[in-house]
Amino acid sequence: MGIKPLRIVPLGGLGEVGKNMMAIEYGENILIIDVGIMFPENDMLGIDYIIPDFNYLLDKKDKVRGIIITHGHEDHTGGIVYLLREIQAPIYATALTRGLVEVKLNRGGMLKAAKINTIQAGESIKLGPFTVEFFHVSHSIPDSVGLGITTPAGLIVHSGDFKFDHTPIDGWPTDFAKLAEFGGRGVLALLADSTNANNPGWTESEKVIEGGFDSVFRNAKGRILIGTFASLISRIAQAAEVAERYGRKMAFVGMSMVENVKMARRLGYLKIPDDMIVSLDQTRSMDPDQVVLMCTGTQGEPSSILGRLSTGTNRNFDLLPSDTVVLSSQPIPGNEEMVYRTINRLLHRGVEVIDENVAPVHVSGHASQEEIKMLIQFVRPKFYIPIHGELRHLKQNARLARELGLAPERIAVVENGTVIEFHNAEMKIGERIPGGYVFIDGSGVGDVGPAVMREREALSRDGFVAVYLNLDPKSGRLVNEPEIVSKGFVFVHEADQLFGDARKRIREVVAKTEKDGMRNRVERDLSKFFYNETRRRPVVIVFA
Amino acid sequence: MGIKPLRIVPLGGLGEVGKNMMAIEYGENILIIDVGIMFPENDMLGIDYIIPDFNYLLDKKDKVRGIIITHGHEDHTGGIVYLLREIQAPIYATALTRGLVEVKLNRGGMLKAAKINTIQAGESIKLGPFTVEFFHVSHSIPDSVGLGITTPAGLIVHSGDFKFDHTPIDGWPTDFAKLAEFGGRGVLALLADSTNANNPGWTESEKVIEGGFDSVFRNAKGRILIGTFASLISRIAQAAEVAERYGRKMAFVGMSMVENVKMARRLGYLKIPDDMIVSLDQTRSMDPDQVVLMCTGTQGEPSSILGRLSTGTNRNFDLLPSDTVVLSSQPIPGNEEMVYRTINRLLHRGVEVIDENVAPVHVSGHASQEEIKMLIQFVRPKFYIPIHGELRHLKQNARLARELGLAPERIAVVENGTVIEFHNAEMKIGERIPGGYVFIDGSGVGDVGPAVMREREALSRDGFVAVYLNLDPKSGRLVNEPEIVSKGFVFVHEADQLFGDARKRIREVVAKTEKDGMRNRVERDLSKFFYNETRRRPVVIVFA
């Protein structure tokens, strides 16, 4: 019995390859790495979020030996409830990641059903034929890990989301020694984060934020509102440190912010003295220059705290003219317009706004080109697989590897759903598995697909017109005037003439049409009429 | 009779201040500067584009002494047809700008009605009490000008869209001497481009593109497709130069590209030898490594040439695996997602893609921070008005001016519609004029407003459900089953159960409701029912 092929399967359809979910298979054994969500693109109308399609795994449920979560961000954890509904396998995560996953499982009513094991960087576990070594990586959330997976086919190294920060906030840099040790041992394949593969140089250390925050605090005349992701625990720690230096107290606003801070303090990832923390209510009676409000909403979401503050529609509290708002964040691609609109609205309301364009109040959590090259040099893999990026990032990452002398045939740039096989120390691009991703819309999982999406698109462009023809059952002639209702098409109060002409047209068509094809005929004819009059194509439906 | 107040009025509602249109008023005299369009933001559903609201000028038609167009880009010229329909005043533009404006007027059927005067940088003209001196500025389109406007209240300098490029492609840098001369003369107010006010340093020269193109041409194995704006005449000139060096011929694809190249060659702004140019058809029989195709579609527009090539739906020609596609462009804010999606699709189709992240194939046409500071130093104005930017850009531009020692009260950051008044050499923020911008949707000008936009938004999220109740006229009871039609809500073929339950619910409601309030009652009740079942809120309408 020879050695079987090892299969690496990035799952999740469009979007970043291997980011949200990946399977590693050997014989009758499967490891799942990460189960995250994607946020919908601007033209995925009405969609809340997107999860990977689990179909591929459903007839292999029993073979799943474990679900490994590399770190606590949404795009690596957000689909866990949906996966556990289908596949019951033990979860492995570091303490902070576990804390964040448990919050999710609890909300989804799956906490009791889940088997979760806490692991630590430096440990290793055996799952079927796999031995998984967890090593620490620095990233924009603490307690992130990469993976060294020893398989019968060889050693696979998975970088996780990483950067090489020599002065991280938690004092815990990426485990360079472990990477070098893997390199010495001999690595079959390296899977490496490509998010910032287009950025030359070296990503700045989280440390530079301190200088940015310090200058903000030195100059602010009133309250300071700092917007960031609720999961950016180290950023919250930095804000707390500078706040203490300047004699300010902190209040946390928004459920996810409050919950995460509570959990991170309990687990020891956030060391803020009790007397530094006040409630939002308490801040009302404090001098504005003693207050820091930490809140979410840095992606321009209209319903977030910063979004509502920017439009003056927040209920609990409002902006003061002396406020300084800090956006310690970066727009996620696709959100630029909403983020910049929020900034413009905040400025319109008279407050000071500081974002990364104005002062160093944000750095990325992902490796730039020189760090990616460094990683490759440490690990010296036989084969190289760029992951965690769109195709344009993976291609650029592959260019970097080629610059370091890796032969093109040793580099695999694939899309989600394409299987990469290792057999007898050779790599080959295997089958393409069907399926991709699943839309979550309201309480619906996957009941909205391309057809519904096309209808929404048409409705979003030109709205609809619904018509009721009250026809005499015997003669098939109109009993009274056709009734027309429209939404999203034209401003109804100024369209009397248009709808008057439409009714006239309908009467003409009805007069010369048999009852049988009546509805279709009127729909077709009205569509043409409205296009000629307005150059718009509303969805037209007719009841008769 | 003393000196009257001079009024500067940026028009156009939301969006970049003073970018699309501006009025300068003195007594009974008005100058209009630029008449451009804005492109809709992602949530302006179904809108084609946006023009400034001309209402403010309509009862002052006779006072308009001239319409000055600073350069030929859409956001400065695109509204000209709409304006001329309302206000007939002479247009003043440089030769290339005039050429581009005439193409527009011709398409809009207004060419004959328009009075256009060609001006040259270095010239000055008298329009009522204003003397306008045109000075050359380098920008990403040739023949751009800034303005020195001598008014009875003092000298106003308007930068236009500019950069300080010492090695521009047409060899014609910004007229520094003129700027310094204005400074010596004494400038009341400087209005300065803020587009890149957030970019530190100095914008790179167009010259660097040559190196980028050269390396692309050196390495390309097959055809080279260069995507850029059709108005980026100097970029087309650069591509032609490098193509000639590498023995390749050029074909131009797309109507706007073909028209602009023809016009620019005729006017002498583009010097490409006849034998360098071939038709798309001719390229079919040529060796791929002798071909350059210039085309549009760099903003990810699905219906553009690059957009269609990326999805394999272009009619005239398709991609070859050996093609290299160059995006000599930058995503306009808000278009990032579509641009990156197009790049990913092109890569998916197997071609090489080079954008500004991979090689220096694009530079911005706008001044960065050090250039803006230089401009201020040349002109040394008494008052400073950042224009051409969103509020966040203007604020940053104002910061730069403060760094140079301009007192905050001498800097005016305003939004479109806010009048700035100069009187007795003092500046004051004046009234806010009503109106803003106008949506163009199909053939409709301004008939779509916030109400229709909200309906489209609701429809885009959750679609609609239309119901017809066939009620007996006498008893008010249902004659047969309620008829339900939905679009964009759920996948109808899998929603039998949902709609079955809905019909049952309707029957219950009808049974206990008077005929009078029937429609409202059923609409309300169904909305609630669908939300409970699906967590979605389709628009519900009922005919009875």
Side-chain angles (χ1 to χ4, degrees):
Chain A
M1 195 184 87
I3 287 177
K4 303 181 198 90
L6 177 80
R7 291 157 56 91
I8 295 181
V9 191
L11 293 163
L14 55 73
E16 299 191 53
V17 176
K19 178 98 182 177
N20 305 132
M21 192 171 183
M22 183 175 270
I24 297 195
E25 293 179 68
Y26 183 81
E28 304 290 289
N29 303 278
I30 297 177
L31 275 190
I32 294 174
I33 302 173
D34 292 333
V35 193
I37 54 170
M38 265 180 67
F39 293 98
E41 304 194 354
N42 283 322
D43 56 357
M44 296 177 181
L45 301 169
I47 299 303
D48 298 322
Y49 48 92
I50 300 162
I51 60 171
D53 184 345
F54 308 134
N55 256 324
Y56 172 68
L57 296 167
L58 290 188
D59 56 354
K60 308 178 178 191
K61 285 182 191 192
D62 312 333
K63 300 178 185 171
V64 178
R65 302 286 163 249
I67 302 162
I68 296 169
I69 310 291
T70 58
H71 63 282
H73 282 152
E74 284 291 333
D75 48 352
H76 297 260
T77 64
I80 190 75
V81 167
Y82 298 96
L83 181 68
L84 286 194
R85 281 186 200 154
E86 306 286 347
I87 296 173
Q88 290 75 42
I91 300 169
Y92 299 85
T94 58
L96 179 64
T97 306
R98 176 184 185 150
L100 290 160
V101 166
E102 284 181 342
V103 168
K104 256 172 235 312
L105 290 170
N106 193 30
R107 281 195 203 151
M110 295 293 289
L111 186 53
K112 279 199 185 138
K115 283 162 291 187
I116 318 183
N117 305 281
T118 306
I119 52 90
Q120 282 183 37
E123 284 183 357
S124 77
I125 55 171
K126 226 177 135 33
L127 295 170
F130 308 110
T131 303
V132 184
E133 295 167 82
F134 301 93
F135 60 94
H136 184 71
V137 291
S138 48
H139 181 45
S140 47
I141 184 169
D143 232 8
S144 299
V145 293
L147 312 170
I149 307 172
T150 301
T151 77
L155 174 59
I156 308 292
V157 175
H158 182 297
S159 73
D161 278 2
F162 84 103
K163 68 192 277 194
F164 285 167
D165 190 339
H166 297 299
T167 50
I169 297 319
D170 59 2
W172 196 2
T174 296
D175 190 347
F176 304 107
K178 189 71 189 176
L179 292 170
E181 194 258 311
F182 287 141
R185 232 191 278 175
V187 172
L188 179 66
L190 168 61
L191 287 65
D193 182 4
S194 311
T195 312
N196 278 358
N198 284 310
N199 295 18
W202 200 280
T203 302
E204 282 188 293
S205 170
E206 298 283 326
K207 195 76 184 172
V208 309
I209 309 289
E210 203 199 296
F213 279 0
D214 194 279
S215 84
V216 170
F217 277 69
R218 204 166 50 241
N219 295 317
K221 286 175 188 63
R223 298 185 305 185
I224 298 173
L225 286 80
I226 301 181
T228 196
F229 287 115
S231 62
L232 238 177
I233 306 292
S234 56
R235 199 60 52 82
I236 299 170
Q238 286 180 290
E241 206 182 300
V242 182
E244 195 168 10
R245 187 182 308 155
Y246 284 88
R248 287 178 183 253
K249 310 277 185 198
M250 299 181 93
F252 299 94
V253 192
M255 189 172 74
S256 56
M257 186 62 87
V258 170
E259 275 187 6
N260 284 357
V261 166
K262 200 162 138 194
M263 189 268 297
R265 289 183 78 209
R266 180 166 51 78
L267 296 177
Y269 289 91
L270 202 50
K271 295 181 183 73
I272 310 178
D274 284 341
D275 65 358
M276 274 282 298
I277 298 180
V278 293
S279 70
L280 182 60
D281 254 348
Q282 287 175 291
T283 65
R284 288 181 220 280
S285 56
M286 291 166 63
D287 284 343
D289 65 356
Q290 298 190 341
V291 174
V292 176
L293 299 174
M294 293 294 304
C295 51
T296 54
T298 58
Q299 295 304 313
E301 314 91 319
S303 61
S304 69
I305 311 232
L306 282 179
R308 293 195 311 257
L309 285 171
S310 77
T311 49
T313 55
N314 194 42
R315 269 194 219 179
N316 289 330
F317 68 105
D318 201 358
L319 291 173
L320 304 173
S322 62
D323 284 348
T324 300
V325 177
V326 179
L327 294 176
S328 185
S329 59
Q330 197 172 34
I332 292 173
N335 290 353
E336 293 86 352
E337 197 174 86
M338 294 299 281
V339 173
Y340 294 141
R341 190 189 296 178
T342 304
I343 293 177
N344 289 331
R345 283 178 174 160
L346 289 167
L347 289 168
H348 174 80
R349 303 201 73 228
V351 303
E352 190 83 16
V353 181
I354 313 283
D355 73 344
E356 56 166 356
N357 289 308
V358 177
V361 292
H362 181 71
V363 295
S364 166
H366 297 272
S368 295
Q369 294 180 349
E370 296 309 313
E371 290 154 280
I372 293 172
K373 292 183 200 165
M374 198 81 234
L375 174 73
I376 300 174
Q377 293 290 25
F378 277 126
V379 177
R380 285 174 289 132
K382 185 166 183 193
F383 297 103
Y384 188 62
I385 308 173
I387 56 169
H388 295 190
E390 303 165 20
L391 213 36
R392 66 197 179 93
H393 301 117
L394 307 189
K395 289 271 183 185
Q396 184 62 35
N397 193 339
R399 278 191 196 104
L400 300 176
R402 287 205 306 275
E403 280 177 26
L404 298 194
L406 258 157
E409 63 274 16
R410 292 181 179 269
I411 304 171
V413 171
V414 300
E415 292 176 87
N416 283 328
T418 299
V419 177
I420 302 174
E421 280 191 6
F422 294 94
H423 202 196
N424 299 324
E426 288 309 319
M427 177 171 73
K428 97 170 196 240
I429 307 298
E431 62 180 324
R432 201 168 155 83
I433 62 168
Y437 54 88
V438 172
F439 286 143
I440 308 288
D441 178 6
S443 60
V445 179
D447 65 333
V448 167
V452 175
M453 211 52 56
R454 273 193 301 273
E455 291 172 357
R456 288 185 185 171
E457 232 255 277
L459 290 168
S460 79
R461 260 186 284 114
D462 297 318
F464 76 88
V465 179
V467 179
Y468 167 52
L469 308 178
N470 192 351
L471 299 178
D472 181 279
K474 281 182 202 125
S475 69
R477 300 300 91 170
L478 281 164
V479 175
N480 45 25
E481 279 285 282
E483 193 178 342
I484 301 182
V485 174
S486 88
K487 298 273 179 196
F489 171 43
V490 291
F491 188 50
V492 176
H493 296 289
E494 289 173 5
D496 283 352
Q497 164 107 45
L498 179 70
F499 288 130
D501 291 350
R503 270 188 288 268
K504 186 162 162 249
R505 180 67 162 263
I506 293 169
R507 284 195 303 269
E508 288 163 14
V509 175
V510 171
K512 62 185 179 192
T513 307
E514 292 298 309
K515 198 168 182 238
D516 258 8
M518 183 72 85
R519 285 170 69 149
N520 278 338
R521 178 70 199 272
V522 175
E523 280 177 7
R524 263 209 319 280
D525 209 86
L526 261 190
S527 295
K528 210 187 292 172
F529 169 79
F530 285 128
Y531 180 72
N532 285 339
E533 293 295 314
T534 65
R535 300 283 139 187
R536 296 176 202 165
R537 299 187 187 282
V539 172
V540 176
I541 59 163
V542 173
F543 290 106
Chain B
M1 194 184 90
I3 287 177
K4 303 181 199 91
L6 178 80
R7 291 157 56 92
I8 296 182
V9 191
L11 293 163
L14 56 71
E16 300 191 53
V17 176
K19 178 98 182 175
N20 305 132
M21 191 171 184
M22 185 176 267
I24 297 194
E25 293 180 69
Y26 185 81
E28 304 291 287
N29 303 280
I30 297 176
L31 275 190
I32 294 175
I33 302 173
D34 292 331
V35 194
I37 54 170
M38 263 179 68
F39 293 99
E41 305 195 354
N42 284 320
D43 56 357
M44 295 178 182
L45 300 168
I47 299 303
D48 298 323
Y49 48 92
I50 301 162
I51 59 172
D53 183 346
F54 307 135
N55 255 323
Y56 172 69
L57 296 167
L58 290 189
D59 56 355
K60 308 178 178 193
K61 286 182 189 193
D62 311 334
K63 301 178 184 171
V64 178
R65 302 287 162 249
I67 301 162
I68 296 169
I69 310 291
T70 58
H71 64 281
H73 282 153
E74 284 291 334
D75 49 351
H76 297 259
T77 64
I80 190 75
V81 168
Y82 298 95
L83 181 68
L84 286 194
R85 281 185 200 154
E86 305 287 347
I87 296 174
Q88 290 77 41
I91 299 170
Y92 298 86
T94 58
L96 179 63
T97 306
R98 177 184 184 148
L100 290 160
V101 166
E102 284 180 342
V103 169
K104 254 171 239 310
L105 290 170
N106 193 30
R107 281 195 202 151
M110 294 293 289
L111 185 54
K112 277 198 186 138
K115 284 162 290 185
I116 317 183
N117 304 281
T118 305
I119 52 89
Q120 283 183 36
E123 284 183 356
S124 77
I125 55 171
K126 225 176 134 31
L127 296 170
F130 308 109
T131 304
V132 183
E133 295 168 80
F134 301 93
F135 60 94
H136 183 71
V137 291
S138 48
H139 182 45
S140 47
I141 184 169
D143 232 8
S144 299
V145 293
L147 312 170
I149 308 172
T150 301
T151 76
L155 173 57
I156 307 292
V157 175
H158 182 298
S159 72
D161 278 2
F162 84 103
K163 67 191 276 194
F164 284 167
D165 190 338
H166 296 299
T167 50
I169 297 318
D170 59 3
W172 196 3
T174 296
D175 190 346
F176 302 107
K178 190 71 190 175
L179 291 171
E181 193 258 310
F182 287 141
R185 231 192 279 174
V187 172
L188 179 66
L190 168 62
L191 286 66
D193 183 3
S194 311
T195 311
N196 278 358
N198 285 309
N199 295 16
W202 200 280
T203 302
E204 282 188 293
S205 169
E206 299 283 327
K207 195 78 184 172
V208 307
I209 309 289
E210 203 199 297
F213 278 180
D214 194 277
S215 84
V216 169
F217 277 69
R218 204 167 49 241
N219 296 315
K221 287 175 188 62
R223 298 185 305 184
I224 297 173
L225 287 80
I226 301 181
T228 196
F229 286 114
S231 62
L232 238 177
I233 305 293
S234 57
R235 198 61 52 83
I236 299 170
Q238 285 180 292
E241 206 182 301
V242 181
E244 194 167 12
R245 187 182 310 157
Y246 284 88
R248 287 179 184 253
K249 309 275 185 200
M250 298 182 94
F252 299 94
V253 192
M255 188 172 74
S256 56
M257 186 62 87
V258 169
E259 276 188 5
N260 284 357
V261 166
K262 199 163 140 194
M263 189 268 297
R265 289 183 77 210
R266 180 166 50 79
L267 297 177
Y269 288 90
L270 202 50
K271 297 181 180 72
I272 309 178
D274 284 339
D275 65 359
M276 274 283 296
I277 297 180
V278 294
S279 70
L280 182 60
D281 255 348
Q282 288 174 291
T283 66
R284 288 181 221 278
S285 56
M286 291 166 63
D287 283 342
D289 65 357
Q290 298 191 341
V291 174
V292 177
L293 300 173
M294 293 294 304
C295 52
T296 54
T298 58
Q299 294 303 314
E301 314 91 319
S303 61
S304 68
I305 311 229
L306 282 180
R308 293 196 309 258
L309 286 171
S310 77
T311 49
T313 55
N314 193 42
R315 268 195 220 180
N316 289 333
F317 68 105
D318 201 358
L319 291 173
L320 304 173
S322 63
D323 284 347
T324 300
V325 177
V326 180
L327 295 176
S328 185
S329 59
Q330 197 172 35
I332 293 173
N335 290 354
E336 292 86 353
E337 197 175 85
M338 294 300 281
V339 172
Y340 294 142
R341 190 189 295 177
T342 304
I343 293 177
N344 289 330
R345 283 176 175 161
L346 289 167
L347 290 168
H348 173 81
R349 303 201 73 228
V351 305
E352 191 84 16
V353 181
I354 313 282
D355 73 345
E356 55 165 358
N357 289 307
V358 178
V361 293
H362 180 72
V363 295
S364 166
H366 297 273
S368 295
Q369 293 182 349
E370 296 308 315
E371 290 155 280
I372 294 173
K373 291 182 200 165
M374 197 81 236
L375 173 72
I376 299 173
Q377 294 290 25
F378 277 127
V379 176
R380 284 174 290 132
K382 185 166 183 194
F383 296 102
Y384 187 63
I385 307 173
I387 56 169
H388 295 191
E390 303 165 21
L391 212 38
R392 65 196 180 94
H393 300 117
L394 308 188
K395 289 270 182 183
Q396 185 61 36
N397 193 340
R399 279 192 196 102
L400 300 176
R402 286 206 307 275
E403 279 177 28
L404 299 194
L406 258 157
E409 63 273 15
R410 290 179 180 272
I411 304 171
V413 171
V414 300
E415 292 176 86
N416 283 328
T418 298
V419 178
I420 303 173
E421 281 191 6
F422 293 93
H423 202 196
N424 299 325
E426 288 309 319
M427 175 171 74
K428 95 169 197 241
I429 308 298
E431 61 179 326
R432 202 169 154 82
I433 61 167
Y437 53 88
V438 172
F439 285 143
I440 308 289
D441 178 5
S443 61
V445 179
D447 66 334
V448 167
V452 174
M453 210 51 58
R454 273 193 301 273
E455 291 171 356
R456 287 185 186 171
E457 233 255 276
L459 290 167
S460 79
R461 261 187 283 115
D462 297 318
F464 76 87
V465 178
V467 178
Y468 167 53
L469 308 177
N470 192 351
L471 300 178
D472 182 279
K474 281 182 203 128
S475 69
R477 299 303 88 172
L478 279 163
V479 174
N480 46 26
E481 278 287 282
E483 194 178 340
I484 300 182
V485 174
S486 90
K487 298 272 180 197
F489 170 44
V490 291
F491 188 50
V492 176
H493 296 289
E494 290 174 4
D496 284 350
Q497 165 107 46
L498 179 69
F499 288 130
D501 291 351
R503 271 187 288 268
K504 186 161 160 250
R505 180 68 163 262
I506 293 169
R507 285 195 302 271
E508 289 163 13
V509 176
V510 171
K512 62 184 181 192
T513 307
E514 293 297 307
K515 199 168 181 239
D516 258 8
M518 183 74 86
R519 285 170 70 149
N520 279 337
R521 178 69 199 271
V522 175
E523 281 177 7
R524 262 209 319 279
D525 210 86
L526 261 189
S527 295
K528 212 187 292 173
F529 169 79
F530 285 128
Y531 181 71
N532 286 338
E533 293 296 314
T534 66
R535 300 284 140 187
R536 297 176 202 165
R537 299 186 187 282
V539 172
V540 176
I541 59 162
V542 173
F543 291 106

